[in-house]
Amino acid sequence: MLIKKAPDIASSEITPERLYVRRREFLRAAGIGVAAVATGVVGGRRPAEAGQTGQDLAITTKMVTTGDEKVTPFDDITTYNNYYEFGTGKDDPARNAGNFKPKPWSVKVGGECAKPGEYTLEDILRPHPIEERVYRMRCVEAWSMVIPWAGFPLGDLLKRFEPNGNAKFVEFETVMRPAEMPGQRRQILPWPYREGLRMDEAMHPLAIMAVGLYGKTLPNQNGAPMRLIVPWKYGFKGVKSIVTINFVREQPLNTWQQMDSNEYGFYSNVNPSVDHPRWSQASERRIGEFFKRPTQMFNGYADQVASLYDGMDLRRNF
Ligand SMILES: Nc1nc2c(c(=O)[nH]1)N[C@H]1C(S)=C(S)[C@@H](COP(=O)(O)O)O[C@H]1N2
Ligand SMILES: [Mo]
C-alpha cells in the first residue's frame, strides 16, 4: 500500500493544559470523580505500545463515572463481545480474532478539514496522555457492563486535523481485512462497518478514543488497536479497529441504520422510554447479575449530555 506522507502535526496543536484543566472542571461540576494517579509518568507523553494487545499502558488520570457500581470482570469484557467481523456469536470474537494484526496500523483522515492524510497509529497517539475512564456500556440488546477503558478525548484528536465550518458530522470506518476477519467473507453486514457522530457529540468530553482496557492495550476482540466509546449511546456506536475518519457535511448512514432504519437510527442515544421495535429498552441485564436493573436516560449521563439534544424530538430522532 502506498502511504501518503501526512503533513506534520505541530506541537502547538497538542491539547493545551488549559483545555485539559477546563475539562476536569467540567467533569467535576458534573459530579464525576477525577483523580490523578502516581504512575511515575503523570503528564507524561509515553504513547501506548501501538497495536500490541495486552501491553501495559501509562495511565495519567483515572475517572469513575459509575459511582459504586461494580466493574465487570476482565474475562467477561473480553469473552462476551459483539464484533461481527469475527462472527455473530458472543464468544466468536475471542475465539476468532487471534490472527488479526493490529500492528502496523494507520488511519486515513479526509473530508472537510485542513489536515487530511494518512497517519500512523504512533502519530495519532503521541500527544495524548492516556486516561482510565470507567464507563457504563449499554448494548442495544439490553445487556450492559461497566468497563475501565483507557483512552483519550476524541475531540482532542479531531481538533488536530482542523475540521472546517462545513464539517457537520464525522464518520468512522473499521478496517476491511477478509483474510483475517472470517465474518467479512460473508455478507452478514454491509462491510466495512461504519458509524458517525454529529460534530458537537464528537467533541463532547465524555466521548473517547479507546486504546485499552484494565490498564492494558486492547485485545483484538475489543477493537484493537483503537475504537470509539460514546458512553451515553448504545454500544454499536463504538466502532472498532478504526482506519478511516471523514469530516462530512451530511448526516452519514451508519451500518445498523443501513441494515434496518426502522430498528436503528443515527442518534442511538440510550433511552429507556423508546423501545426497539422487537424488545423493551426500559431495563437491562448487567453481565454477571441475575436481576435486571432499570436503564437510565442517556445511560446515566443525562446531566452531562442532555443539552446536546435540547429541542429535539428524541422519539423521532432515535
Ligand atoms: N467493527 C465493529 N464494531 C463494533 C461492532 C461490530 O460488530 N463491528 N459491534 C458493536 C456493538 S453492537 C457493541 S455492543 C460493541 C461491543 O464492544 P465490546 O465487544 O468491546 O464490548 O462494539 C460495537 N462495535
Ligand atoms: Mo451492541
Side-chain angles (χ1 to χ4, degrees):
M1 201 201 338
L2 188 71
I3 301 207
K4 196 171 114 223
K5 180 92 177 73
D8 278 335
I9 300 168
S11 58
S12 63
E13 288 157 18
I14 293 169
T15 321
E17 181 65 15
R18 192 165 38 83
L19 270 184
Y20 181 66
V21 170
R22 258 209 269 133
R23 184 167 63 239
R24 292 183 56 149
E25 279 164 3
F26 165 86
L27 293 163
R28 200 171 287 127
I32 291 172
V34 181
V37 280
T39 56
V41 288
V42 172
R45 292 287 184 266
R46 185 134 55 90
E49 277 305 316
Q52 288 178 344
T53 61
Q55 300 290 300
D56 285 337
L57 285 167
I59 307 276
T60 59
T61 308
K62 293 194 179 195
M63 178 197 299
V64 177
T65 66
T66 50
D68 56 7
E69 290 167 52
K70 231 169 99 244
V71 177
T72 303
F74 180 84
D75 284 351
D76 289 330
I77 297 172
T78 57
T79 59
Y80 191 88
N81 299 100
N82 271 336
Y83 199 168
Y84 279 17
E85 285 83 340
F86 295 109
T88 54
K90 301 296 175 223
D91 54 351
D92 284 340
R95 287 194 291 118
N96 297 332
N99 292 329
F100 181 71
K101 290 179 191 60
K103 186 183 180 146
W105 197 263
S106 61
V107 178
K108 211 173 264 168
V109 178
E112 301 288 346
C113 67
K115 299 247 162 103
E118 185 146 358
Y119 297 84
T120 66
L121 186 61
E122 291 75 10
D123 286 339
I124 292 207
L125 299 186
R126 194 170 298 115
H128 300 285
I130 306 293
E131 307 169 26
E132 178 172 273
R133 298 195 176 195
V134 181
Y135 282 167
R136 293 181 201 93
M137 209 270 293
R138 170 58 157 81
C139 178
V140 73
E141 297 161 17
W143 49 267
S144 62
M145 300 191 190
V146 174
I147 303 182
W149 297 110
F152 52 88
L154 175 66
D156 290 352
L157 173 63
L158 298 184
K159 271 179 240 158
R160 290 165 58 197
F161 308 124
E162 298 179 15
N164 62 41
N166 294 324
K168 302 295 185 221
F169 297 88
V170 56
E171 178 181 70
F172 305 86
E173 278 175 1
T174 294
V175 71
M176 189 69 199
R177 282 202 202 153
E180 293 172 28
M181 299 173 127
Q184 284 184 339
R185 291 176 228 146
R186 299 186 287 143
Q187 278 308 309
I188 304 165
L189 293 177
W191 311 117
Y193 193 99
R194 184 173 294 129
E195 260 306 340
L197 295 171
R198 213 172 58 192
M199 269 319 264
D200 58 340
E201 298 179 309
M203 302 308 289
H204 191 281
L206 285 179
I208 57 170
M209 198 60 103
V211 295
L213 57 85
Y214 268 101
K216 299 198 182 282
T217 51
L218 284 174
N220 289 343
Q221 60 268 33
N222 293 92
M226 190 172 84
R227 56 89 59 89
L228 200 65
I229 296 295
V230 191
W232 68 95
K233 294 179 179 281
Y234 291 117
F236 68 83
K237 298 300 280 186
V239 47
K240 294 175 170 179
S241 307
I242 293 167
V243 289
T244 312
I245 300 177
N246 265 322
F247 297 97
V248 296
R249 295 167 182 238
E250 309 287 338
Q251 182 177 300
L253 190 65
N254 55 311
T255 298
W256 283 102
Q257 192 182 12
Q258 190 179 352
M259 281 295 280
D260 191 336
S261 60
N262 293 316
E263 299 198 349
Y264 309 100
F266 173 77
Y267 284 95
S268 317
N269 292 315
V270 174
N271 189 339
S273 64
V274 177
D275 288 337
H276 185 279
R278 290 183 282 135
W279 60 82
S280 166
Q281 295 293 23
S283 64
E284 65 200 60
R285 195 175 71 84
R286 184 64 50 84
I287 294 300
E289 294 179 5
F290 181 76
F291 292 106
K292 286 196 161 186
R293 59 171 68 217
T295 288
Q296 304 177 72
M297 187 62 197
F298 295 113
N299 206 20
Y301 300 102
D303 288 352
Q304 295 90 279
V305 302
S307 62
L308 292 171
Y309 309 102
D310 276 349
M312 271 178 74
D313 179 347
L314 297 179
R315 197 162 285 282
R316 279 191 48 213
N317 297 286
F318 59 96

